[in-house]
Amino acid sequence: MEQQLQGLKAEALEKIAAAANVKQLNEVRVAYLGKKGPITDLLKGMGKLPAEERPKMGALVNVVREEVTTELESRMAILEEQATREKLQKETIDITLPGRPVNVGNAHPLTRVVEEIEDLFLSMGYEIAEGPEVEKDYYNFEALNLPKGHPARDMQDSFYITDDVLLRTHTSPVQARTMIEKKGQPFKIICPGKVYRRDSDDATHSHQFTQIEGLVVGEDIRMSDLKGTLSLFAKKMFGDDREIRLRPSFFPFTEPSVEMDISCFKCGGEGCNVCKKTGWIEILGAGMVHPNVLEMAGYDSKRLTGFAFGMGPERIAMLKYGVEDIRHFYTNDTRFLQQFLRTEL
Ligand code: DAH
């Protein structure tokens, strides 16, 4: 039995030395030291030995088992280190490879137009005002000289939440809100924001879109101030040689009311597809603030006057960038949006 044991030990040590990797070495461990291995078998067979030989043989089996285990562990350490080294070598980073391009985001074309307009008016001393999109009927209509039942309400059909609360149909309610806040004092504001109307979506209509409202209230504010301001705006947005033209119009909250056109930036006024052969492009609505609107918000319309205007950034962006369908602004197609990468970064 002793001979058998020494034979097993020699065999195990040989296999340990020959194991080329962790997996093979583990197989050797299971084969020789495992529960079903020959060394365990020998221990189990001890019962058949004469009683006086048992202690000696038992000790011997244990010594052999220790020796095999020690040898196995030291070989294991070597093989594991070797495996780690190989893995690291395989994973080395090739620093000469070109980097992957980073996807740089950019401002949405509407954001860009809104910011450009904000910058212009901020430079003229205007403040930016904001108001809620879920608005009271009072601010959206009544305070703007559109009492309940006024026929002009029909032009701006809304999404009603209750009889008195709706999604604002324009940014004009911020006029009334700001006047109440300013308590009779002069001010200049522009208010960009989202507005909603019950419209069927098509290439030029959307149930949700953006507007920018402007309002100036002060002593001696006249139509000529409005015209000068709008002329500057037209030149800044559409080119220095733009002319503007004011046509009479109607809004319940302004008197007189006008529609502003700019001379066509494509053909310069001769007539083309952009200006529909008229030489002029309609850009926004404006007017002198109606005395009723001033009075309802607590302003003395004999002492202070004002002008207001309202425009749609979508329309401006469509004209400026030649976008033919308003829905492109809302569908988040990166092929569309990537065309507006800022180059000046
Ligand atoms: N609120 C108007 C609209 O949505 C636009 C507008 C016209 C605003 C004239 C004004 C204005 O402030 O003076 O159609």
Side-chain angles (χ1 to χ4, degrees):
M1 186 167 175
E2 202 178 323
Q3 248 177 16
Q4 208 184 344
L5 192 63
Q6 292 307 340
L8 267 176
K9 175 181 149 186
E11 206 181 293
L13 293 182
E14 206 175 295
K15 294 229 166 114
I16 289 169
N21 54 42
V22 173
K23 186 167 168 266
Q24 283 178 12
L25 191 61
N26 269 327
E27 282 163 12
V28 177
R29 181 210 305 279
V30 175
Y32 286 89
L33 300 173
K35 279 199 192 114
K36 290 185 184 134
I39 296 180
T40 315
D41 278 352
L42 278 179
L43 279 173
K44 281 185 196 152
M46 297 265 286
K48 290 184 199 129
L49 288 176
E52 65 277 12
E53 280 186 35
R54 281 184 211 159
K56 193 180 145 229
M57 274 314 291
L60 209 62
V61 173
N62 277 334
V63 167
V64 167
R65 196 160 60 173
E66 291 278 295
E67 278 173 356
V68 172
T69 306
T70 311
E71 195 52 33
L72 206 133
E73 275 167 4
S74 70
R75 179 81 185 136
M76 186 61 97
I78 292 167
L79 289 177
E80 275 174 350
E81 201 207 297
Q82 186 183 313
T84 313
R85 217 180 313 123
E86 277 168 15
K87 192 166 168 242
L88 284 178
Q89 236 154 26
K90 255 192 257 159
E91 286 176 1
T92 46
I93 296 163
D94 181 355
I95 55 164
T96 64
L97 279 176
R100 292 197 185 92
V102 178
N103 254 338
V104 181
N106 60 293
H108 190 280
L110 283 179
T111 308
R112 215 163 134 175
V113 164
V114 170
E115 284 178 357
E116 228 174 286
I117 298 171
E118 284 177 355
D119 283 350
L120 171 66
F121 283 97
L122 285 172
S123 77
M124 294 194 279
Y126 285 58
E127 292 172 65
I128 294 179
E130 282 184 333
E133 288 168 32
V134 179
E135 185 54 286
K136 291 199 170 117
D137 181 277
Y138 178 78
Y139 292 110
N140 195 78
F141 291 128
E142 270 183 63
L144 295 169
N145 210 23
L146 277 137
K148 287 214 161 71
H150 193 292
R153 282 189 175 212
D154 294 347
M155 278 168 29
Q156 298 188 7
D157 199 5
S158 178
F159 298 101
Y160 277 86
I161 286 144
T162 67
D163 279 352
D164 290 317
V165 180
L166 71 164
L167 295 183
R168 67 178 179 191
T169 57
H170 50 181
T171 43
S172 303
V174 183
Q175 290 193 15
R177 285 182 171 275
T178 309
M179 282 191 268
I180 289 165
E181 195 186 299
K182 297 284 182 186
K183 299 190 168 61
Q185 294 305 305
F187 65 86
K188 298 190 275 194
I189 54 149
I190 53 159
C191 162
K194 294 194 197 88
V195 301
Y196 305 82
R197 287 192 196 174
R198 257 185 62 180
D199 257 334
S200 302
D201 294 0
D202 62 23
T204 53
H205 294 85
S206 171
H207 61 282
Q208 180 191 313
F209 56 104
T210 57
Q211 276 195 342
I212 297 185
E213 191 81 12
L215 176 63
V216 172
V217 179
E219 261 176 57
D220 210 20
I221 297 292
R222 310 182 214 178
M223 193 87 181
S224 53
D225 297 313
L226 171 63
K227 194 171 177 188
T229 305
L230 294 182
S231 172
L232 196 71
F233 161 76
K235 289 181 197 304
K236 169 84 194 309
M237 294 307 286
F238 293 101
D240 278 344
D241 44 2
R242 289 290 63 69
E243 298 289 329
I244 65 162
R245 157 177 108 167
L246 302 181
R247 281 182 291 112
S249 184
F250 173 78
F251 299 103
F253 33 92
T254 44
E255 184 57 39
S257 302
V258 294
E259 213 79 56
M260 181 194 80
D261 300 338
I262 59 167
S263 56
C264 182
F265 51 82
K266 190 172 175 204
C267 64
E270 282 173 19
C272 69
N273 59 332
V274 173
C275 59
K276 301 195 189 97
K277 307 244 184 283
T278 64
W280 296 95
I281 304 169
E282 186 182 316
I283 296 288
L284 53 79
M288 299 308 292
V289 182
H290 197 293
N292 286 357
V293 173
L294 288 165
E295 296 287 340
M296 272 188 278
Y299 275 70
D300 178 355
S301 65
K302 301 260 179 331
R303 204 170 67 76
L304 298 179
T305 48
F307 68 73
F309 55 88
M311 63 180 112
E314 276 87 345
R315 178 159 171 76
I316 290 166
M318 285 169 90
L319 287 166
K320 243 178 113 103
Y321 303 125
V323 177
E324 273 162 11
D325 194 318
I326 197 170
R327 291 167 291 195
H328 285 312
F329 293 122
Y330 316 119
T331 41
N332 287 336
D333 186 335
T334 51
R335 290 169 304 177
F336 171 73
L337 297 171
Q338 270 164 1
Q339 298 175 71
F340 302 93
L341 271 179
R342 269 187 216 266
T343 47
E344 68 265 31
L345 272 181

